[in-house]
Amino acid sequence: MNTTRIALSLYSLFLLFSFYQDSPANEEAEIQFQETLELYKSLSTDPVKVQDQEIWDIIARAFYSIYLNNPDSSKAPNSLFLSGRMYEEIGNRFESREDLEKSVDRSRLFIRAYPDNSLADDAQIRIARIIEGWDKKQSYLEYEKVIEDFPSGDMKIAAKNKVQELSPFKPSTEERARARVNEKSKALVKINKIQHWSTDNYSRVVIHLDKEMPYQSYLLKADQSSRKPPRLYVDITGTTVDKNLQVPPIEDGLLEEIKFGRNTMDRVRVVLYIKSFVNYRVFSLNEPFRIVIDIEGEKLESDDYLVKNKDVKDLKLPESPPQIDDKDISTLRGALGLKVKTVVIDPGHGGHDSGAVGPTGLKEKDVNLNIAKALKSIIEKNGSDVGISKVLLTREDDRFIPLEERTAIAKKYNADIFISIHCNASKNNNAYGIETYILSFTKDPESLIVAARENATTQRGLSDLRDIIKKYLLSSKIEESTRFATYVQRSVVTNVSIKYNSIKNKGVKKAPFIVLIGADIPSILVETSFITNTREEKRLKSSNYLNQIAKGIYTGIKSYSTEVETASLIR
Ligand SMILES: [Zn+2]
């Protein structure tokens, strides 16, 4: 990564994370549009930036997210149009068919969303022009559409000339019919996977799509008269349901049922039937595009209205989970008010995502898993002393798990705390030390770089993060997470310092990590050491060092738990 790119990426990050408090959506879209437009204009005057495909892509994406996040604002049409235009430029400049196809997609979306906009015929002629590069027959049909669909547009003459020029490629009636069928099936993006996790009072549903599409969500409260539970609707534009889609069976928990329906020709409605409802949030992540829905509810009591509807035969009510703790522990917990009972440890990365890599090739994913396993076995041996009865890993082996699934696992097991374990990395191989993060906004460039790297599997979704985190900030247990982080950071540094020299305490920091979003329990991310530093990489290979780190994290958990205990005794 060269310096200009870092400077620009950071600028974009600031832009994306700066907090436009209380400004109405339209005003916010306006500001973002102006800033993105400035960035776009600055490209042509900077000979270095203009050759950097990543910078082009960041800006094209920024335009697209303005449209996605504010589809009703006055800047939405221009933002979508410019995103399509930029992808054509990117495709031509960097000879990328993928980007040209993206331009076609964006342009088609523009015509569908704003058929009466004066730029719609420009979008159609762009489609024709791009497709001419690989399919002259299809291109002929696309130019024809300019003439037929926009008879009063200013692109009509140019299109007529092209139809003339391409007349040797004029498709037969049969080919026309085939093209129409093909277009119909291609036009709509598919919902290809649905996942869900539930407890008695929480549910996370993830809808996977082939491509990014605009969506809206709204909630219908429970309807006593028709005996309907609360329903959450998510309407996704330009979408259909893949015929092979299978929804995993819904077990006991907050989620009652998932249904699909088409409420217009190109819009799919996903309906979630919920047993009880307190709050919900919807956000999206990218690569692959998916819509994440978090619902909070309450465990239903037996006299709840749903239970009275005995005619609803399939209504399974959540039963209380089997008690596996031994009595002494629960008595002790009752007396002392110990709150940390279940711990979920998240070894960062895995599978195709190696995380950072050290100078000799040591992979972060392997180190993270080793530390997590060491920590798990320490807790299994000693945890009952402080009332911890359960410890789980988000992955036990070398496999890829999307970031949002990791948090969902913590919720599914009703975890009381969540610890994500990572190794730090830097372009500067002299950088070293230990730091612990909590989820929040930040303007510190260094912390932003760390977050960008740890979010890398969904990096292109960064622009949406600002809104997501805004939604979560109130419930993210910032204070408790900070205290938890402080204990862990302190005891990890102390523990490794006993046996190793040159240990740097980089402190507790804040940054927008996707893996910490939505946990609603004290959650931290530990950057255990720099894998890019020769000395620390060597140490990360030794099980002694990893054990010292794991012991340190455990001591931190213990201190936090004891503090919780003391606090509840005082009250
Ligand atoms: Zn990492």
Side-chain angles (χ1 to χ4, degrees), residues 542-555:
S542 109
S543 58
N544 278 336
Y545 186 72
L546 302 189
N547 256 317
Q548 285 307 110
I549 290 174
K551 274 189 210 162
I553 297 175
Y554 176 65
T555 310

Side-chain angles (χ1 to χ4, degrees), residues 27-46:
E27 204 178 304
E28 187 172 325
E30 175 81 32
I31 296 169
Q32 288 177 355
F33 180 78
Q34 290 309 336
E35 286 176 337
T36 312
L37 193 62
E38 283 308 311
L39 279 176
Y40 180 34
K41 284 183 188 161
S42 75
L43 272 181
S44 57
T45 57
D46 187 323

Side-chain angles (χ1 to χ4, degrees), residues 349 355 364 368 422-423 453-454 527:
H349 313 277
E364 183 193 344
N368 297 343
H422 289 258
C423 300
R453 198 187 60 245
E454 300 298 9
E527 294 283 1

Side-chain angles (χ1 to χ4, degrees), residues 357-405:
V357 179
T360 70
L362 182 66
K363 287 177 184 151
E364 183 193 344
K365 62 174 184 179
D366 298 328
V367 177
N368 297 343
L369 185 60
N370 287 339
I371 296 174
K373 282 183 171 168
L375 177 57
K376 186 180 181 221
S377 79
I378 294 171
I379 297 178
E380 277 168 347
K381 247 179 245 157
N382 310 297
S384 60
D385 298 351
V386 287
I388 301 172
S389 55
K390 215 176 187 181
V391 52
L392 299 132
L393 302 187
T394 53
R395 64 178 177 98
E396 300 267 355
D397 50 23
D398 182 19
R399 72 176 69 194
F400 178 74
I401 299 175
L403 295 172
E404 75 274 15
E405 189 170 333

